[in-house]
Amino acid sequence: MPTVNELLDKAKAELSNLLPSEVFLLRDLFKGYEWNRISRSDRLLLGTLFLNYIKTEDIGVVPIEKTSSGQQRYKLD
């Protein structure tokens, strides 16, 4: 099982595949079975690390509203 930092690196790399103005969830950057294999605690930590990453690095991703289930939505500018 990959570490949370390795998962974060994978999510960062997947950002290049998104289209401008695309709205996404962190889970969208992973294949369905990959996301489901990540433990809940690691998914929560990964979400926090990803949010901190986009807030500290000027990469053109902005956090927008949360879903009804509490997942943070993002938009690529």
Side-chain angles (χ1 to χ4, degrees):
M1 188 66 177
T3 67
V4 176
N5 286 328
E6 290 169 342
L7 294 169
L8 180 61
D9 290 339
K10 181 176 173 73
K12 290 178 191 177
E14 286 294 319
L15 289 173
S16 63
N17 296 326
L18 298 176
L19 302 173
S21 299
E22 191 163 359
V23 175
F24 64 96
L25 299 171
L26 179 57
R27 74 178 302 145
D28 296 335
L29 302 177
F30 296 87
K31 294 179 181 170
Y33 65 87
E34 289 176 327
W35 183 257
N36 293 334
R37 290 178 184 167
I38 303 170
S39 71
R40 184 173 188 276
S41 60
D42 282 352
R43 289 194 305 243
L44 291 170
L45 178 57
L46 179 59
T48 302
L49 293 175
F50 187 78
L51 182 61
N52 288 339
Y53 168 70
I54 65 153
K55 285 184 174 181
T56 57
E57 302 291 324
D58 187 19
I59 59 168
V61 176
V62 292
I64 52 177
E65 80 280 354
K66 287 193 173 189
T67 65
S68 59
S69 61
Q71 293 176 311
Q72 181 68 55
R73 295 179 77 195
Y74 300 95
K75 183 176 182 181
L76 186 62
D77 278 344

